[in-house]
Amino acid sequence: MNWQGKTVGYALTGSHCTLEEVMPQIQRFVDGGANVVPIVSNSILTTDTRFGKSADWQKQLRDITGNDIISTIVDAEPLGPSKLLDVMVIAPCTGNTTSKLANALTESPVLMAAKAQMRNQRPLVLAISTNDGLGLNATNIAKLLITKNIYFVPFGQDAPGAKPNSLVARMDLIKETCEAALEGRQLQPMIIERFQY
């Protein structure tokens, strides 16, 4: 697919252990010619973890995309009226974000951007990373699976022995999922095996 002239909203939420895995996926969009608008949750904006410092992740985002980061609800709101984004990705998309999105709660820049994208009836792609995807969050994932214009990066259990409720997307399929979403279809298979015993 030719990404020249396309604008991708790329949102990151607080599954800090997967940030290193998603950064190269952002680069793939840029290498393909897309304009990538980075959007971060409050957790990404403020939290240092054993997986890296917030300031370093933010610098990496700015360096890869060449754009300022949308980090407030106020800055995310104009994405609706401007119809700027051809496709929006939330990767990683935590269980917390999944739950709030499924229940129409808009209390972060990422959720405001997602709401704007849904308002415009444009594709919203979710790359889930949640320890309770087969637990309490299963109902929220199910609600989103049947919601128009929402697509999922193929996902599976990442550690069924140690964490039987945990689901994580194949982050290396983000770009391909977005390409399918722009054509109005879900990349298949959607439920995959991620872990070998």
Side-chain angles (χ1 to χ4, degrees), residues 2-195:
N2 184 2
W3 285 90
Q4 295 287 338
K6 298 269 193 246
T7 299
V8 177
Y10 202 107
L12 299 95
T13 65
S15 178
H16 297 271
C17 60
T18 58
L19 295 181
E20 187 173 350
E21 191 178 352
V22 301
M23 288 298 175
Q25 307 315 314
I26 301 171
Q27 185 68 58
R28 289 181 69 204
F29 285 110
V30 173
D31 292 346
N35 175 39
V36 178
V37 177
I39 307 158
V40 299
S41 69
N42 297 327
S43 177
I44 299 297
L45 187 67
T46 62
T47 307
D48 295 337
T49 72
R50 63 190 173 100
F51 300 104
K53 294 184 178 180
S54 170
D56 294 339
W57 292 121
Q58 291 177 59
K59 181 180 186 305
Q60 194 171 346
L61 275 174
R62 283 190 286 269
D63 288 348
I64 292 171
T65 66
N67 286 319
D68 291 331
I69 297 169
I70 292 177
S71 60
T72 68
I73 290 175
V74 171
D75 289 340
E77 193 278 333
L79 293 172
S82 70
K83 298 185 178 179
L84 177 67
L85 307 180
D86 294 291
V87 62
M88 179 179 164
V89 185
I90 305 177
C93 183
T94 61
N96 186 43
T97 300
T98 302
S99 173
K100 290 175 181 177
L101 182 62
N103 291 283
L105 298 175
T106 309
E107 50 72 70
S108 76
V110 171
L111 291 165
M112 176 57 79
K115 178 182 176 181
Q117 189 73 353
M118 294 171 74
R119 159 192 162 161
N120 291 331
Q121 299 182 44
R122 292 185 174 180
L124 174 62
V125 173
L126 308 179
I128 59 173
S129 180
T130 172
N131 285 328
D132 68 341
L134 294 177
L136 288 175
N137 234 327
T139 57
N140 297 312
I141 292 170
K143 283 173 72 173
L144 295 171
L145 282 170
I146 60 169
T147 301
K148 186 177 180 182
N149 298 317
I150 292 184
Y151 303 88
F152 280 77
V153 177
F155 61 86
Q157 290 178 275
D158 59 306
K163 302 185 296 179
N165 289 341
S166 182
L167 295 174
V168 178
R170 275 268 310 270
M171 301 302 174
D172 60 317
L173 293 176
I174 289 171
K175 186 166 173 278
E176 289 77 6
T177 306
C178 288
E179 290 171 354
L182 283 167
E183 296 174 355
R185 61 184 178 86
Q186 169 65 52
L187 187 67
Q188 297 291 344
M190 184 182 66
I191 299 175
I192 59 168
E193 186 173 6
R194 268 192 58 101
F195 181 87

